[in-house]
Amino acid sequence: MNVEYHKWFSPNLNKEMELKVYGHYGKPLVIFPCQDGRFYDAENFGMIASISHFIQAGKVKVFALDGIDFESWTNQSMHPYDRGFRYNQYQKYFTDEVTPFIRNHCHNPELKFIATGASMGAYHAANFFFKFPLIFDGLIALSGVYELKMFVGDYYDDFVYFNSPLHFLPNLNDENTLNLYRQSKIIICCGQGAWEDEMLENTYALKTILESKNIPAWVDIWGNDVNHDWPWWNKQLPYFLDKIL
């Protein structure tokens, strides 16, 4: 398997950012890390191995991103406004730096990606998918939360609103944007086992919103034995990749 490591100084974040690329050809699959996670977690926790047959067959080319949760939503020492401001800088890093990098790497300036991640990575994947439908046309969100209450409590401002799919989607009525969602492939999955309660509640809430907007989505609820942990996510991602591709 072709594996590449890349690092560059991000002007949007004013720091060096790292990522890894797996594969030589295929649909770009962007993996966002779990809470406070790093770009190497998908490999270290077995997720890359779990989808290696898709990578080696040239069906997907994986881009495992670094995260800055510890500088944004999860940093309790920062005011929520500052956390939101920093998260928006991360979004600019993705749209202005990572997106051109991926498209150049795949030799296609208009290529769209699949977003995926587990836990808080699923939050990032869903948030980016719904905010940037000109960049993404696929989503596989595993055990995610889709609002920010667990991180900012009752605090509320535009950063919180526009980065919480459960908040901004109900008020989104632009048919051009909604049609882009409807033309995409959306998979939302959650287990019913340990540590999944809040994620399960958010998953059902997102399902209700998507249905109200006539946005097709496969919302798949797994069993009571399915916990909020890597062994299950490493079973879910290849299962859903097989369907979405």
Side-chain angles (χ1 to χ4, degrees):
M1 181 193 304
N2 178 62
V3 180
E4 300 175 16
Y5 166 79
H6 294 271
K7 178 170 73 172
W8 68 80
F9 182 85
S10 166
N12 285 290
L13 291 170
N14 196 35
K15 63 181 290 187
E16 288 190 326
M17 293 292 288
E18 300 165 276
L19 60 80
K20 292 190 81 170
V21 183
Y22 304 86
H24 62 283
Y25 185 78
K27 180 79 171 179
L29 177 70
V30 179
I31 300 180
F32 292 90
C34 294
Q35 181 175 332
D36 298 328
R38 300 296 308 279
F39 67 98
Y40 45 71
D41 289 346
E43 180 177 334
N44 290 354
F45 285 101
M47 183 169 278
I48 298 300
S50 77
I51 60 171
S52 62
H53 53 296
F54 295 103
I55 300 171
Q56 291 174 329
K59 293 184 177 181
V60 293
K61 184 188 283 188
V62 176
F63 296 82
L65 300 192
D66 220 345
I68 63 159
D69 294 337
F70 41 84
E71 297 179 18
S72 55
W73 296 126
T74 69
N75 189 335
Q76 298 298 317
S77 67
M78 296 171 66
H79 189 278
Y81 174 87
D82 296 320
R83 286 184 256 166
F85 184 86
R86 185 60 171 165
Y87 186 68
N88 267 29
Q89 291 178 323
Y90 181 65
Q91 290 188 10
K92 289 285 288 180
Y93 157 72
F94 181 81
T95 59
D96 296 0
E97 300 175 47
V98 175
T99 295
F101 170 82
I102 293 175
R103 287 174 168 165
N104 182 64
H105 201 281
C106 296
H107 309 291
N108 187 334
E110 298 181 355
L111 194 61
K112 287 190 174 184
F113 319 148
I114 300 171
T116 193
S119 191
M120 196 165 184
Y123 158 75
H124 295 307
N127 191 41
F128 278 52
F129 169 84
F130 288 116
K131 293 188 73 172
F132 307 115
L134 295 178
I135 296 176
F136 294 100
D137 62 359
L139 170 66
I140 304 175
L142 309 173
S143 300
V145 292
Y146 306 109
E147 62 177 359
L148 293 164
K149 189 170 185 178
M150 73 161 56
F151 305 109
V152 300
D154 293 328
Y155 178 84
Y156 207 71
D157 63 10
D158 281 354
F159 287 134
V160 173
Y161 173 82
F162 285 111
N163 290 296
S164 299
L166 294 187
H167 296 173
F168 70 76
L169 281 177
N171 299 318
L172 200 162
N173 297 306
D174 178 71
E175 281 298 316
N176 290 330
T177 300
L178 295 175
N179 283 330
L180 288 172
Y181 298 156
R182 292 169 185 145
Q183 295 161 16
S184 299
K185 296 179 179 179
I186 302 172
I187 298 173
I188 316 289
C189 178
C190 191
Q192 301 178 75
W195 315 297
E196 287 281 53
D197 290 350
E198 187 161 359
M199 293 70 187
L200 190 60
E201 180 181 337
N202 271 224
T203 296
Y204 279 124
L206 183 57
K207 179 177 186 287
T208 298
I209 294 168
L210 296 177
E211 288 175 346
S212 73
K213 300 288 185 181
N214 296 312
I215 299 170
W218 180 11
V219 180
D220 203 15
I221 307 301
W222 288 31
N224 293 320
D225 59 330
V226 179
N227 301 329
H228 189 87
D229 205 355
W230 282 98
W232 284 106
W233 301 328
N234 291 344
K235 293 179 181 179
Q236 291 165 351
L237 183 58
Y239 172 77
F240 291 120
L241 261 187
D242 188 52
K243 311 298 183 183
I244 202 171
L245 294 173

